[in-house]
Amino acid sequence: MQKRKTEIVTARMTPKVKAQLQQRAQNANMTLTDSLCICGLGREIVRVEGLDAVLSELKAQGRNLNQLTTLANMGRITVLRGDELIDRYADLCAAIRKLTKEVS
């Protein structure tokens, strides 16, 4: 559960510095507030190229699995060849493993 953000911090900076901070936050696909909080706490922001595509495919496979489970529970399918599903999940695991090695 996310905690509600109730506190406000004001900072003065040049327009150039503000633009640079906004660009860094945008590059990390984050809000300026989240970016400043993470960096201010000494944490590193790591942008993993290719992760968006893997997450998109993982969500799609999750939806497919959910639909198949629903159909099976309704009795509309009784036999399923899972070879293709297994192959797709194996591909996703390999992609995640590769991205993990690149970040480490």
Side-chain angles (χ1 to χ4, degrees):
M1 184 175 160
Q2 250 185 341
K3 294 183 181 177
R4 213 165 143 229
K5 297 176 183 177
T6 59
E7 299 300 312
I8 298 172
V9 176
T10 304
R12 294 188 180 274
M13 61 193 73
T14 65
K16 182 179 178 181
V17 169
K18 181 181 176 184
Q20 288 173 332
L21 290 172
Q22 288 173 323
Q23 186 61 49
R24 287 182 71 181
Q26 185 178 14
N27 290 345
N29 201 23
M30 301 175 78
T31 64
L32 180 59
T33 299
D34 289 341
S35 174
L36 290 173
C37 288
I38 287 171
C39 290
L41 293 172
R43 299 180 186 150
E44 183 181 358
I45 297 173
V46 178
R47 179 78 179 141
V48 180
E49 295 299 324
L51 185 59
D52 292 338
V54 171
L55 289 176
S56 177
E57 179 63 23
L58 189 58
K59 288 177 185 178
Q61 291 300 317
R63 283 190 300 272
N64 290 343
L65 186 59
N66 189 35
Q67 290 170 355
L68 290 170
T69 302
T70 300
L71 290 172
N73 286 334
M74 292 170 58
R76 293 182 65 189
I77 59 173
T78 55
V79 177
L80 174 69
R81 283 195 55 227
D83 299 345
E84 187 177 335
L85 287 173
I86 292 170
D87 290 343
R88 294 299 293 257
Y89 280 112
D91 293 344
L92 280 171
C93 287
I96 292 170
R97 203 173 299 117
K98 180 182 176 191
L99 290 173
T100 304
K101 287 180 182 178
E102 290 175 7
V103 173
S104 300

